[in-house]
Amino acid sequence: MPDLIPFSAALRQRSTSAHSGSESAGFMADLIKGDGTRDDYIALVVQHWFIYKALEQAAERMKSDPVASVFITDRLTRLPALESDLEFLIGPDWRDTVTPLPTTRRYVDRINAVGATWAGGFVAHHYTRYLGDLSGGLFIGRLMSRRFGFETNGIGFYLFGDIADPKAFKDVYREQLDAAPWDDAEKERVIDEVLLAYRFNTELFEDLARAKSDVRVA
Ligand code: HEM
C-alpha cells in the first residue's frame, strides 16, 4: 500500500512535540527572551563544537554510503564557522578551556556509534541538526546578533553563506528523505532516532541550565 503521507511529513508530524520540548527548554527560552547572558551563549557554542565535530566526522565516513551521501554537502559544514566563533568569543587558546557536558558526551557517543555503521541513523542526526539550523536557527542567529552586537564574528555558525534560499534547500532535503529506499520498519527506526536526537538537545539545555546555576552557587 502506498504511504498516505510522504515520509518527510510523517517525520515532521511525529517529532512536533519533541520539537516543542527542545524549543521551550528553559535555557533556550531565556536566550530567546533576552534573559540569557553572553556567557550563556558562549557555553552553547562550545557544546555545538563537540556535537558538530562528531557529526561532520561521521559525514566524512558516510560520504561513500549510497543512501547517506545524498544528504551530505559542504554547503552545510559548520565546524570551521564554530571554530572562528570560539576564537572570537573566547580567544586563541579556546581549545584549552572547553569541555563537553554529560549530555554532549552521550550525544557524541551516539553520533559516533550510528555514524560509523547505520546510514538511516546518521541521516536522523543530520536532519535534526541541519534542518533545525536552517529553520529556527536562522532566527536565533539574528536575535543573538542583535542582543550581543555580533555582526558576523560570533554568529558565523548561523550564517549559511552557500545557501542563498534555505526554504528551497529544505524542500529538496525533504524530497531526498522521501526518496530514501527505506521500508516501513527502517522509517520507524529513523523516526525513533530523530526523537532520540531531540531528547539529547533538550537534555543538553537542561545541563546548560544546571551548569549555570552551579557557577552561581560556587
Ligand atoms: C528556540 C528554539 C527554536 C525555535 C524558535 C525553532 C523554530 C523552528 C521553526 C519556526 C521551524 C519551522 C520551519 C519550517 O517550517 O520550515 C523549525 C523547524 C525545525 N526545527 Fe526548530 N526551533 C528551535 C529549536 C530547535 C532545536 C533545539 C532543534 C533540534 C536540534 C530544532 C530542530 C528543528 C528541525 C529538525 C526542524 C525541521 C522540521 C521539518 O520541517 O522537518 N529546532 N524550528
Side-chain angles (χ1 to χ4, degrees):
M1 197 176 73
D3 292 339
L4 293 176
I5 55 169
F7 175 61
S8 61
L11 175 57
R12 182 197 252 176
Q13 220 171 60
R14 295 265 301 275
S15 56
T16 302
S17 105
H19 182 273
S20 304
S22 281
E23 198 180 4
S24 61
F27 182 88
M28 182 41 88
D30 281 353
L31 264 182
I32 301 292
K33 272 190 298 187
D35 290 343
T37 64
R38 192 178 192 273
D39 282 346
D40 295 341
Y41 173 69
I42 296 173
L44 177 62
V45 181
V46 166
Q47 301 307 309
H48 280 160
W49 180 71
F50 288 104
I51 294 162
Y52 283 80
K53 190 151 62 92
L55 195 54
E56 291 176 6
Q57 278 168 358
E60 267 315 303
R61 290 195 292 275
M62 280 289 172
K63 269 186 180 161
S64 55
D65 180 278
V67 175
S69 59
V70 170
F71 298 90
I72 299 169
T73 161
D74 292 344
R75 295 161 75 200
L76 289 171
T77 306
R78 298 290 84 203
L79 202 58
L82 282 167
E83 294 185 349
S84 307
D85 287 345
L86 287 169
E87 185 153 347
F88 171 77
L89 294 165
I90 300 177
D93 297 331
W94 64 269
R95 280 172 202 271
D96 303 334
T97 70
V98 297
T99 42
L101 287 165
T103 300
T104 303
R105 283 183 207 275
R106 289 187 294 115
Y107 193 177
V108 163
D109 285 349
R110 183 69 190 166
I111 293 171
N112 289 339
V114 303
T117 54
W118 174 31
F122 166 77
V123 173
H125 286 281
H126 191 272
Y127 159 85
T128 310
R129 284 300 339 178
Y130 295 113
L131 245 62
D133 297 334
L134 287 168
S135 306
L138 301 180
F139 161 75
I140 296 167
R142 282 194 296 272
L143 274 185
M144 295 305 110
S145 157
R146 223 178 304 146
R147 165 126 170 87
F148 300 117
F150 303 136
E151 294 203 353
T152 53
N153 286 331
I155 49 149
F157 171 74
Y158 296 100
L159 305 173
F160 286 85
D162 295 329
I163 300 181
D165 185 345
K167 185 185 174 305
F169 185 96
K170 287 188 290 181
D171 287 345
V172 171
Y173 195 104
R174 290 194 191 100
E175 284 165 18
Q176 289 165 336
L177 284 172
D178 295 339
W182 295 325
D183 63 17
D184 287 351
E186 180 65 357
K187 285 178 186 167
E188 280 300 309
R189 280 195 290 272
V190 172
I191 292 176
D192 283 346
E193 193 67 24
V194 167
L195 296 178
L196 180 64
Y198 271 115
R199 206 153 71 225
F200 283 132
N201 280 280
T202 303
E203 289 174 11
L204 170 57
F205 292 141
E206 288 162 7
D207 277 11
L208 282 161
R210 213 171 297 126
K212 183 172 148 163
S213 59
D214 287 351
V215 171
R216 276 210 206 101
V217 171

